Amino acid sequence: MENCLFCKIIKGEIPSTKMYEDENMYIFKDIDPKAPKHYLCVPKSHFKLLSEMNDTQAEMLKACFKKIPELASILGLENGYRLVINQGDDAGQTVFHLHIHILAGKKMDWNPA
Ligand code: AMP
Ligand code: ZN
């Protein structure tokens, strides 16, 4: 997808701190971390919303959810972690390529307000 920041990061056209990559996903450090450990897991197919996801993309997202716990020691998730997918304006989605935030490294409040 032209002009998509995360498509450009996946292609290596914009630099990132890569933590993991395979045929389904690209995982890298968030540039503005909201927790001591903050990564983004990006499916390699471009779509914005879960409501727009096709079957192939759903398989990719499933692969992401299977892989993240397998990377616990690499990403430092042993004490727990939070996964967040912002969808649309009210959630504050700013990059319109679906991504899973992986947050860890501290005790987190439960207060999205
Ligand atoms: P969201 O607001 O859910 O769309 O999340 C977008 C995330 O992308 C934010 O947490 C940003 O800090 C992060 N971000 C924006 N630009 C970059 C970049 N060049 N490299 C890494 N993370 C980025
Ligand atoms: Zn994209």
Side-chain angles (χ1 to χ4, degrees), residues 1-8 10 42-48 95-98:
M1 200 54 183
E2 279 173 42
N3 292 325
C4 170
L5 175 66
F6 287 173
C7 283
K8 288 180 179 170
I10 290 167
V42 182
K44 283 194 170 174
S45 176
H46 180 96
F47 63 107
K48 174 185 175 185
V95 178
F96 303 128
H97 181 139
L98 188 132

Side-chain angles (χ1 to χ4, degrees), residues 3 24 40 43 49 56 59 65 67 69 74 79-80 88 93 95 98-101 103 106-107 110:
N3 292 325
N24 292 307
L40 301 171
L49 297 169
T56 305
E59 286 300 317
F65 284 115
K67 182 57 69 177
I74 292 170
N79 288 334
Q93 185 176 9
V95 178
L98 188 132
H99 49 282
I100 307 167
H101 292 265
L103 300 148
K106 68 167 187 179
K107 288 250 187 266
W110 179 232

